[in-house]
Amino acid sequence: MKINVERGAFLKALSHVQSVVERRNTIPILSNVMVEAAKGQVKLTATDLDIEIVEALPADVLRNGAATAPAHMLYDIVRKLPDGAQVQVELLAGDSGRLQVSAGTVRFELACLPKEDFPQMAAGALPHRFRLAADDLKRLIDKTRFAISTEETRFYLNGIYVHAAKEEKAATLRAVATDGHRLARFELELPEGASDMPGVIVPRKTVAELRRLLDDADGAIEIALSDTKIQFAFNGVDLTSKLIDGTFPDYQRVIPSGNDKALSLEAKEFGLAVDRVSTISADKTRAVKLGIAKDKVTLTVVNPESGTATEELAANYSATPIEIGFNAKYVLDITGQVEGKSVRFLLSDAGSPTVIEDPDDLRTLYVLMPMRV
């Protein structure tokens, strides 16, 4: 194998694929990226056996072939080469199994592992196929991923649940994430081809990798899936991932429908106030108490070791006064997603879940469990 490739394009592709490679691997070949050259392009593949990223880019192929090289080291080498350089990558002849990377007078030789050892992650049949605009997929991820659970014992919550929801009003593609303390739901008009898709749980790491790749994406994202795998294809990149093999809980039971106390606040002002008063608590996970009365909210945080903090805000509220506590970090996570000027809380009582809405984005809904204060 021997190729010439432009450094900028090569670096960008390497940055995409190497991020899936774990820094520490018990299986040495999983630390490597597969480099394959043929038909005027170079194809890079990396996997951790759960996710596989493949990216193809144009190259001047002088000799077809394939080799594996340490992913992070190859990325660091190309990153440190001069801007605009032409990079030559060559698998040296003989049994040495070394990959030469050079640009001008700079030359590196990297030890390779046999390409035959590199695992191929077969996607298998992916019968359900549809397209989503890149911006819609970004929003779907951004509006929900902060609520993904990190608790490994409840593995079925360690991802975003994506499914087709068919209700009386309209059919939607719905994404839901919850960690048991808060829930985030986002929905889009159901794309053509998605109506028969199974409900799937896309793992947390896959969500993070996909969102990073989407920073460079525009146009449509091709999505294909089965009961066990999902694939996203765009801009010469294919990301294939296993799905979480578990049953997502019936989240609809968590979303209250009878909360009749409506509170409206200016979203940015409220977020800043929560952030200010929670400074008094060491880890910002302690409860912030909301004393809600007619047209005003009093925020209070009490830390037995440090002291107390209070702040009063104007609000739109006319129901019975109520006191309720929330985890300050969870409140900030949700208000940080609100794009409109105001945020709306639908409350019942101090011990029941609260619904939080963005009046300017009715596709998004949040549920937050209260804390004892």
Side-chain angles (χ1 to χ4, degrees):
M1 179 187 74
K2 187 175 182 181
I3 59 165
N4 283 323
V5 61
E6 196 272 319
R7 178 230 176 227
F10 195 36
L11 180 65
K12 188 175 179 181
L14 279 169
S15 78
H16 290 162
V17 299
Q18 61 92 35
S19 72
V20 81
V21 177
E22 299 289 349
R23 288 281 171 185
R24 290 179 183 171
N25 266 307
T26 51
I27 307 170
I29 193 69
L30 294 182
S31 298
N32 281 24
V33 59
M34 171 77 93
V35 184
E36 298 171 275
K39 297 178 183 173
Q41 67 173 20
V42 59
K43 190 167 82 171
L44 305 173
T45 306
T47 183
D48 65 357
L49 298 182
D50 289 323
I51 309 172
E52 178 186 79
I53 298 181
V54 182
E55 181 158 357
L57 66 153
D60 181 11
V61 179
L62 306 172
R63 191 165 64 242
N64 289 357
T68 77
H72 298 304
M73 189 170 289
L74 182 58
Y75 169 71
D76 280 343
I77 286 168
V78 176
R79 183 171 60 85
K80 292 174 182 178
L81 292 176
D83 279 344
Q86 280 293 313
V87 182
Q88 188 171 88
V89 182
E90 180 179 5
L91 181 62
L92 298 176
D95 300 324
S96 60
R98 297 181 89 75
L99 191 72
Q100 181 176 279
V101 181
S102 56
T105 58
V106 188
R107 184 175 287 106
F108 294 87
E109 284 186 16
L110 297 176
C112 299
L113 290 170
K115 63 180 186 292
E116 294 77 22
D117 293 350
F118 195 84
Q120 296 295 321
M121 186 171 155
L126 300 170
H128 307 280
R129 293 175 180 270
F130 57 94
R131 305 173 85 184
L132 268 187
D135 285 345
D136 283 342
L137 188 53
K138 286 177 196 172
R139 284 172 67 79
L140 182 148
I141 292 171
D142 290 343
K143 296 289 184 183
T144 55
R145 69 169 170 172
F146 67 87
I148 295 174
S149 174
T150 54
E151 197 181 316
E152 297 304 328
T153 51
R154 301 168 81 190
F155 66 93
Y156 49 85
L157 297 182
N158 292 166
I160 296 177
Y161 178 55
V162 182
H163 65 115
K166 293 162 189 155
E167 294 178 353
E168 289 175 23
K169 289 185 288 182
T172 58
L173 181 72
R174 193 175 280 173
V176 182
T178 182
D179 59 5
H181 305 290
R182 62 230 169 122
L183 179 144
R185 190 189 80 190
F186 180 75
E187 53 191 21
L188 293 162
E189 187 179 327
L190 190 67
E192 192 177 330
S195 59
D196 295 327
M197 70 173 276
V200 297
I201 308 170
V202 185
R204 183 175 62 239
K205 182 177 176 182
T206 305
V207 169
E209 290 299 331
L210 176 61
R211 183 62 186 87
R212 219 173 43 79
L213 291 168
L214 287 171
D215 282 337
D216 298 322
D218 48 27
I221 312 297
E222 304 279 348
I223 301 171
L225 60 98
S226 67
D227 291 331
T228 57
K229 292 207 172 89
I230 190 163
Q231 186 176 73
F232 302 88
F234 53 97
N235 295 13
V237 180
D238 285 354
L239 185 154
T240 308
S241 170
K242 291 179 182 175
L243 295 164
I244 291 175
D245 182 14
T247 304
F248 201 80
D250 180 5
Y251 66 88
Q252 294 282 51
R253 290 171 52 199
V254 180
I255 302 173
S257 55
N259 288 14
D260 55 354
K261 299 180 176 70
L263 164 71
S264 287
L265 293 146
E266 191 172 303
K268 190 175 179 186
E269 186 185 329
F270 176 63
L272 289 169
V274 171
D275 192 33
R276 271 193 293 271
V277 296
S278 64
T279 309
I280 202 85
S281 66
D283 52 10
K284 294 200 177 178
T285 57
R286 298 213 179 133
V288 54
K289 182 169 79 174
L290 273 56
I292 307 165
K294 182 172 169 55
D295 293 339
K296 72 170 184 179
V297 175
T298 305
L299 283 70
T300 308
V301 172
V302 177
N303 183 342
E305 296 164 15
S306 309
T308 60
T310 60
E311 183 166 347
E312 195 173 287
L313 294 174
N316 190 337
Y317 183 80
S318 56
T320 320
I322 183 174
E323 284 194 346
I324 190 167
F326 295 115
N327 178 310
K329 181 183 181 301
Y330 294 169
V331 172
L332 290 171
D333 283 343
I334 292 172
T335 55
Q337 293 301 325
V338 174
E339 294 175 8
K341 192 174 180 187
S342 64
V343 60
R344 189 162 176 254
F345 288 72
L346 296 172
L347 306 120
S348 175
D349 56 58
S352 301
T354 295
V355 175
I356 303 174
E357 296 176 338
D358 179 352
D360 286 14
D361 181 14
L362 298 177
R363 299 183 300 177
T364 313
L365 179 138
Y366 304 104
V367 179
L368 187 56
M369 298 299 293
M371 288 177 78
R372 278 210 186 96
V373 285

